[in-house]
């Protein structure tokens, strides 16, 4: 895993831990063109797991988590995210499958973030 992706995952983990009281146990992120696609495992707190034992509880946890995370990202990108990827954050698409405790977030940026300069080569192509 690249250092940049590791740092991106840390930003997401810290934000979710602060927001929900528990961060994901495992995060996997890939950069594709102007998107960061992140899969998060082990998201639910013990209280959420208890509430999610019934269909109504699962719906409540799903609605609360998706609406809450989307409202946070609608206000502003997490501190350091845009600087890390070198692009402006545009939108977040996010969902969680409560039964399997897995979430997916797709972060959309205003330009490609997957093109890093080769080691030893400056961004303008000079060595």
């Amino acid at each position: 895993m690249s250092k940049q992706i590791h740092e991106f995952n840390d930003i997401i983990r810290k934000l979710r831990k602060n927001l929900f009281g528990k961060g994901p146990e495992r995060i996997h992120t890939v950069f594709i063109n102007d998107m960061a696609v992140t899969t998060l495992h082990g998201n639910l707190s013990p209280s959420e797991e208890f509430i999610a034992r019934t269909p109504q509880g699962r719906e409540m946890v799903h609605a609360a988590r998706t609406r809450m995370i989307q409202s946070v990202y609608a206000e502003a990108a997490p501190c350091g995210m845009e600087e890390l990827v070198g692009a402006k954050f545009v939108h977040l698409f996010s969902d969680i499958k409560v039964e399997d405790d897995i979430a997916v977030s797709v972060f959309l940026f205003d330009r490609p973030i997957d093109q890093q300069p080769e080691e030893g080569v400056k961004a303008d192509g000079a060595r």
Side-chain angles (χ1 to χ4, degrees):
M1 172 187 329
S2 77
K3 181 180 178 194
Q4 184 184 32
I5 289 176
H6 179 74
E7 290 177 16
F8 189 89
N9 289 348
D10 280 347
I11 290 170
I12 295 167
R13 182 177 285 111
K14 287 174 187 173
L15 180 135
R16 290 183 182 238
K17 183 171 186 190
N18 290 338
L19 191 59
F20 299 115
K22 179 186 183 296
E25 295 167 5
R26 192 174 44 146
I27 302 176
H28 176 75
T29 299
V30 293
F31 292 163
I32 305 165
N33 195 13
D34 60 348
M35 297 177 288
V37 180
T38 303
T39 308
L40 306 100
H41 300 266
N43 302 280
L44 302 179
S45 69
S47 297
E48 289 171 317
E49 289 174 354
F50 179 79
I51 292 168
R53 289 184 187 179
T54 66
Q56 297 85 0
R58 280 190 295 279
E59 180 56 36
M60 186 183 338
V61 170
H62 179 271
R65 277 208 164 241
T66 54
R67 288 182 189 141
M68 196 168 179
I69 199 71
Q70 288 175 351
S71 70
V72 167
Y73 280 91
E75 291 178 19
C79 184
M81 180 180 278
E82 293 177 331
E83 295 81 7
L84 178 66
V85 299
K88 181 169 175 33
F89 171 75
V90 176
H91 193 70
L92 171 73
F93 297 91
S94 185
D95 201 4
I96 185 168
K97 185 170 184 186
V98 175
E99 301 86 343
D100 296 331
D101 196 0
I102 184 172
V104 174
S105 292
V106 178
F107 300 84
L108 185 61
F109 294 91
D110 70 342
R111 65 179 149 270
I113 62 171
D114 64 347
Q115 300 168 357
Q116 296 301 314
E118 294 177 37
E119 197 169 314
V121 177
K122 296 179 183 175
D124 65 1
R127 291 202 182 255

